[in-house]
Every structure is written in C-alpha cells, then in structure tokens.
Amino acid sequence: METVLDNEILIDRIEKALNSIRPYLEADGGNVKVLEVTSDKVVRLELVGACGSCPMSTMTFKAGLEEAILKAVPEITRVEAVNLTPAF
C-alpha cells in the first residue's frame, strides 16, 4: 500500500529530474508542472508558457522531460503530457 509520504518522495525526485531541464524551458519562455502521480506510477505533466503552444513540444517532451524522469525515477511506468501541441 502506497502512502502519501511515498508519493511525496516520488514527486520530489521527479521535480529534481525536471529541474535539470527547466533552465532550457525557461530560456524559451516555458516551463513544466507536475499535475499528479497516479497509483499505477504514471506521471501527468502540463507544459506551461511558451511550451504549451510550441510545435516542438512533443520533441521536448519525449527527448527531454520523459527521458529525464524515467532515468531518475525508474519506478515510474509512464509519463504523459496533457497538452502537447502537434507539429504540422
């Protein structure tokens, strides 16, 4: 059974992983927010600022955010972004 403390520790580790990417996002006027970690260890993210409407957001998500989280927090099963902008 997972406790609230376990979830808080996971979120802290996720935030640390994202902090390695944030300076690059912020340089372009964007950022990322952790919305939740589900009971089956799925992280849901929201891209904010310029990242929320950028046509490269899918690439940023896959090559940057998702990779950083899965590497730093291997117990995470999947990373999802709620607002990726499709590239045209």
Side-chain angles (χ1 to χ4, degrees):
M1 180 174 180
E2 184 168 326
T3 66
V4 172
L5 181 59
D6 292 337
N7 206 40
E8 288 176 10
I9 292 169
L10 273 180
I11 290 173
D12 184 54
R13 292 172 56 206
I14 292 164
E15 289 287 353
K16 285 180 182 172
L18 292 174
N19 285 341
S20 68
I21 306 292
R22 278 197 169 102
Y24 305 104
L25 302 176
E26 291 169 344
D28 289 328
N31 210 330
V32 62
K33 178 171 36 170
V34 177
L35 297 177
E36 71 174 322
V37 178
T38 67
S39 59
D40 54 341
K41 305 285 190 275
V42 175
V43 177
R44 297 189 70 217
L45 302 175
E46 179 181 13
L47 299 172
V48 295
C51 291
S53 59
C54 177
M56 297 301 290
S57 64
T58 300
M59 203 152 169
T60 300
F61 171 73
K62 290 302 259 181
L65 304 172
E66 181 181 53
E67 185 176 314
I69 291 170
L70 294 176
K71 186 175 181 179
V73 191
E75 53 267 55
I76 295 300
T77 59
R78 192 169 72 242
V79 181
E80 300 175 347
V82 299
N83 63 329
L84 288 179
T85 301
F88 293 96

